[in-house]
Amino acid sequence: MLFPKKNIEIEEGDFYLTPEGYKCFTEQYHLKRGYCCESGCRHCPYGFDKKTGKSN
């Protein structure tokens, strides 16, 4: 599935660093982006379940 590319300004609260040093995007960021990427993101506000491949 192709998604439209748009530049999103990163603001405070859009992500945090995990103990392993990875960026983890928050629900705030996902809502600004405006769509589900279907990657099973930890804070997905769209309800996507990677195990079933469906949104709730």
Side-chain angles (χ1 to χ4, degrees), residues 19 26-27 29-30 39 44 53:
T26 62
E27 180 178 1
Y29 174 81
H30 291 293
S39 295
C44 180

Side-chain angles (χ1 to χ4, degrees), residues 5-50:
K5 298 271 184 180
K6 62 181 179 179
N7 290 330
I8 300 170
E9 290 286 326
I10 300 294
E11 300 173 335
E12 188 173 332
D14 283 349
F15 73 92
Y16 60 90
L17 295 178
T18 67
E20 300 81 24
Y22 296 105
K23 279 185 185 177
C24 185
F25 289 105
T26 62
E27 180 178 1
Q28 172 182 303
Y29 174 81
H30 291 293
L31 290 171
K32 281 197 311 187
R33 186 175 60 191
Y35 63 89
C36 179
C37 64
E38 299 182 350
S39 295
C41 299
R42 185 178 294 175
H43 301 290
C44 180
Y46 302 105
F48 183 77
D49 184 342
K50 195 170 182 175

